[in-house]
């Protein structure tokens, strides 16, 4: 692949990710990426159009490298993905209602397989396609996460199919199917475990965990009384709960960013951007019933390594198989996400030893090797406390390269990736 293979960036044009990448390409003497907005693409699909129509006038003379960026931070895109998820739900419902007995058995088998690896097909909250396009933005509100994820998966698949119809030899920065897998915390952690990557032990259960009652029963059976319950498709600490239950008294505590309130008899949920602690059984019941019904990753709450009074984990960027930028995320609480204004520090500043950084880098690089069709991601890795720490992979973020004020070999994250792109071009088909 020549150095100047065109880059098509599908993302949100006005956000920090797009500007960071374009500025890096300019500084590295590379042609700017052609930018296609998710909002325009989703609107074109609703009007019956295709990706091909949008790229006709884009001056792409040859098959581009396509980078799919994060869809967040744009309300019109969020509504569009909810609408696409509603459309997919309605199509599935129509297939089931119109199917014969034999066809229905086949559909139910597919649904069962999907439910076993992904958030529920519908989720507790369901919005009609028509309602999605008229939603008014409420800052922080979490709308129908399972439906949103269904729309996002459909978006990724349609981009994959339509791009290859336009350019049969197109290459993706990160393969759309991999992005969907990385987004699904449940399926991703099982994928990593199958490939021998150390991940926190998952809560085992003889029946699907769809509410607080089944969650508590599974915790009792497994003798796992401290767990993280994470919205399977959430990001930025949205829908993450550090949940603990006293095995003797049954008392429970839930620490989370999720706020909730009743509006006209309906519970709504939102990301407060700060942590709060629930101890009321009624409130915890409402929270956990919603979270489990929408689809949750449930794993052992493991003690992290500490620095002073803080626990920490590390976001490690890997591109072209190489470990680059790394940042420590420190917190006095169990949840370390930087979105919560937690402290950040360079590992060298904190005195993290070369041996421990080597463990983290190896875990991150081995994680990326399980996605051979993808080129870069931010890998969240924790070390356990004690004299003989072990590294565990917590999360894989396909868009985890937006790291502020962090350099590697004198380059920021986007400059470093552009440099690697020239030396180690994307070669997967």
């Amino acid at each position: 692949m020549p150095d100047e293979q065109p880059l098509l960036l599908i993302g949100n044009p006005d956000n920090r990710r797009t500007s960071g990448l374009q500025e890096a390409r300019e500084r590295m003497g590379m042609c700017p990426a052609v930018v296609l907005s998710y909002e325009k693409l989703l609107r074109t699909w609703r009007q019956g159009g295709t990706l091909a129509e949008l790229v006709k006038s884009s001056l792409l003379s040859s098959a581009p490298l396509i980078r799919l960026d994060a869809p967040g931070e744009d309300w019109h895109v969020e509504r569009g993905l909810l609408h696409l998820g509603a459309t997919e739900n309605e199509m599935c419902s129509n297939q089931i209602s119109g199917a014969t007995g034999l066809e229905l058995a086949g559909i139910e088998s597919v649904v069962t397989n999907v439910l076993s690896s992904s958030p529920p097909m519908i989720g507790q909250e369901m919005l009609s396609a028509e309602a999605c396009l008229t939603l008014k933005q409420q800052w922080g509100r979490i709308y129908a996460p399972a439906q949103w994820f269904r729309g996002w998966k459909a978006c990724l698949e349609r981009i994959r199919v339509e791009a290859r119809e336009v350019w049969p030899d197109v290459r993706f920065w990160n393969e759309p199917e991999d992005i969907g897998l990385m987004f699904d915390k449940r399926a991703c952690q099982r994928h990593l475990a199958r490939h021998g990557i150390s991940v926190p032990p998952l809560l085992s259960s003889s029946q699907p965990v769809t509410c607080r009652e089944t969650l508590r029963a599974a915790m009792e059976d497994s003798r796992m009384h401290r767990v993280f319950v994470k919205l399977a498709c959430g990001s930025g600490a949205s829908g993450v709960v550090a949940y603990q239950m006293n095995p003797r008294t049954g008392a429970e505590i839930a620490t989370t960013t999720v706020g909730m309130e009743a509006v006209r008899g309906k519970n709504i949920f939102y990301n407060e951007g700060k942590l709060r602690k629930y101890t009321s059984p009624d409130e915890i019941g409402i929270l956990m019933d919603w979270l489990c019904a929408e689809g949750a990753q449930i794993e052992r709450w493991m003690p992290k390594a500490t620095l002073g009074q803080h626990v920490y984990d590390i976001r490690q960027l890997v591109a072209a198989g190489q470990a680059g930028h790394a940042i420590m995320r420190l917190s006095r609480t169990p949840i370390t996400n930087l979105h919560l204004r937690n402290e950040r520090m360079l590992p060298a500043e904190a005195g993290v030893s070369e041996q421990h950084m080597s463990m983290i880098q190896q875990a991150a690089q081995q994680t990326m090797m399980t996605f051979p069709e993808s080129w870069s991601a931010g890998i969240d890795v924790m070390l356990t406390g004690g004299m003989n720490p072990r590294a565990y992979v917590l999360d894989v973020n396909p868009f985890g390269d937006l790291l502020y004020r962090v350099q590697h070999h004198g380059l920021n994250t986007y400059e470093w990736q552009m440099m690697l792109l020239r030396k180690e071009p994307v070669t997967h088909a």
Side-chain angles (χ1 to χ4, degrees), residues 200-205 209 211-231 239-247 251-256 275 278 284 287-288 291-292 296-304 333-335 382 394:
L202 303 181
L203 178 69
S204 61
S205 177
V209 176
C211 62
R212 181 179 62 167
E213 183 178 347
T214 52
L215 170 64
R216 287 172 63 93
M219 291 172 67
E220 286 283 6
D221 291 344
S222 301
R223 298 191 178 186
M224 193 181 290
H225 300 117
R226 286 163 50 95
V227 296
F228 272 104
V229 183
K230 304 177 180 180
L231 194 61
V240 175
V241 179
Y243 178 67
Q244 51 190 316
M245 178 180 67
N246 187 310
E252 51 196 334
I253 301 173
T255 304
T256 181
L275 288 175
Y278 293 99
I284 292 177
L287 172 63
M288 304 310 284
L291 189 59
C292 293
Q297 156 80 355
I298 307 166
E299 61 193 38
R300 184 184 295 279
W301 176 348
M302 301 183 66
K304 295 179 179 179
T333 75
I335 300 176
M382 64 162 279
L394 303 175

Side-chain angles (χ1 to χ4, degrees), residues 51-70:
L51 175 67
E53 298 170 18
L54 294 175
V55 298
K56 282 180 181 177
S57 59
S58 63
L59 304 179
L60 291 170
S61 57
S62 58
L65 172 65
I66 299 180
R67 174 181 166 110
L68 302 180
D69 218 327

Side-chain angles (χ1 to χ4, degrees), residues 164-235:
R164 290 207 162 100
E165 288 175 351
V166 179
W167 306 287
D169 57 344
V170 72
R171 290 171 177 166
F172 286 94
W173 184 294
N174 285 342
E175 181 66 29
E177 188 174 357
D178 283 354
I179 293 174
L181 177 56
M182 293 175 191
F183 248 84
D184 185 339
K185 289 180 172 61
R186 292 183 301 186
C188 185
Q189 293 300 84
R190 285 200 297 270
H191 165 83
L192 296 179
R194 285 196 300 270
H195 285 82
I197 305 297
S198 294
V199 297
L202 303 181
L203 178 69
S204 61
S205 177
S206 59
Q207 59 180 318
V209 176
T210 57
C211 62
R212 181 179 62 167
E213 183 178 347
T214 52
L215 170 64
R216 287 172 63 93
M219 291 172 67
E220 286 283 6
D221 291 344
S222 301
R223 298 191 178 186
M224 193 181 290
H225 300 117
R226 286 163 50 95
V227 296
F228 272 104
V229 183
K230 304 177 180 180
L231 194 61
C233 58
S235 61

Side-chain angles (χ1 to χ4, degrees), residues 248-266:
R248 290 183 294 103
T249 67
E252 51 196 334
I253 301 173
T255 304
T256 181
T257 63
V258 179
M260 56 187 180
E261 60 183 76
V263 178
R264 292 190 289 274
K266 177 183 178 183

Side-chain angles (χ1 to χ4, degrees), residues 397-414:
N397 187 333
F399 314 124
D401 55 7
L402 184 63
L403 301 178
Y404 298 112
R405 299 179 295 280
V406 185
Q407 292 199 330
H408 181 64
H409 298 320
L411 302 173
N412 69 28
T413 56
Y414 293 111

Side-chain angles (χ1 to χ4, degrees), residues 65-375:
L65 172 65
I66 299 180
R67 174 181 166 110
L68 302 180
D69 218 327
E73 301 180 0
D74 188 300
W75 173 241
H76 296 289
V77 175
E78 182 171 353
R79 288 197 313 188
L81 292 174
L82 285 167
H83 176 272
L84 188 55
T87 303
E88 291 290 305
N89 286 339
E90 291 168 5
M91 288 175 57
C92 182
S93 297
N94 290 338
Q95 285 182 331
I96 292 174
S97 63
T100 64
L102 184 59
E103 291 170 334
L104 184 59
I107 292 171
E108 288 176 342
S109 175
V110 171
V111 169
T112 299
N113 290 336
V114 172
L115 283 170
S116 68
S117 61
S118 302
M121 303 286 283
I122 303 297
Q124 186 183 69
E125 184 180 6
M126 182 173 61
L127 303 169
S128 70
E130 181 180 359
C132 291
L133 298 181
T134 59
L135 284 174
K136 302 298 182 184
Q137 185 173 18
Q138 297 179 35
W139 289 103
R141 181 168 172 183
I142 305 172
Y143 287 94
Q147 180 173 319
W148 179 93
F149 184 60
R150 188 168 172 81
W152 174 230
K153 292 266 284 189
C155 176
L156 291 170
E157 175 61 12
R158 190 160 179 179
I159 289 173
R160 184 190 70 81
V161 170
E162 293 188 1
R164 290 207 162 100
E165 288 175 351
V166 179
W167 306 287
D169 57 344
V170 72
R171 290 171 177 166
F172 286 94
W173 184 294
N174 285 342
E175 181 66 29
E177 188 174 357
D178 283 354
I179 293 174
L181 177 56
M182 293 175 191
F183 248 84
D184 185 339
K185 289 180 172 61
R186 292 183 301 186
C188 185
Q189 293 300 84
R190 285 200 297 270
H191 165 83
L192 296 179
R194 285 196 300 270
H195 285 82
I197 305 297
S198 294
V199 297
L202 303 181
L203 178 69
S204 61
S205 177
S206 59
Q207 59 180 318
V209 176
T210 57
C211 62
R212 181 179 62 167
E213 183 178 347
T214 52
L215 170 64
R216 287 172 63 93
M219 291 172 67
E220 286 283 6
D221 291 344
S222 301
R223 298 191 178 186
M224 193 181 290
H225 300 117
R226 286 163 50 95
V227 296
F228 272 104
V229 183
K230 304 177 180 180
L231 194 61
C233 58
S235 61
S238 180
V240 175
V241 179
Y243 178 67
Q244 51 190 316
M245 178 180 67
N246 187 310
R248 290 183 294 103
T249 67
E252 51 196 334
I253 301 173
T255 304
T256 181
T257 63
V258 179
M260 56 187 180
E261 60 183 76
V263 178
R264 292 190 289 274
K266 177 183 178 183
N267 292 309
I268 65 170
F269 302 87
Y270 51 91
N271 189 358
E272 289 193 324
K274 60 182 180 181
L275 288 175
R276 62 181 300 173
K277 186 178 292 185
Y278 293 99
T279 56
S280 162
D282 290 341
E283 289 184 321
I284 292 177
I286 293 170
L287 172 63
M288 304 310 284
D289 283 351
W290 168 76
L291 189 59
C292 293
E294 289 292 335
Q297 156 80 355
I298 307 166
E299 61 193 38
R300 184 184 295 279
W301 176 348
M302 301 183 66
K304 295 179 179 179
T306 59
L307 180 67
Q309 300 299 312
H310 297 78
V311 299
Y312 72 86
D313 55 33
I314 290 181
R315 164 68 58 87
Q316 176 67 62
L317 178 61
V318 177
Q322 299 185 37
H325 303 68
I327 191 72
M328 294 177 69
R329 311 185 305 177
L330 301 103
S331 177
R332 293 180 181 272
T333 75
I335 300 176
T336 56
N337 298 71
L338 295 177
H339 294 74
L340 303 179
R341 297 180 176 84
N342 282 319
E343 295 183 43
R344 64 178 70 202
M345 186 179 292
L346 296 177
E349 293 175 345
V352 179
S353 70
E354 290 187 8
Q355 178 186 4
H356 290 171
M357 279 308 301
S358 177
M359 293 169 59
I360 289 164
Q361 291 171 348
Q362 288 182 24
Q365 289 171 302
Q366 290 168 1
T367 293
M368 278 307 298
M369 289 175 64
T370 73
F371 297 98
E373 302 301 313
S374 291
W375 196 74

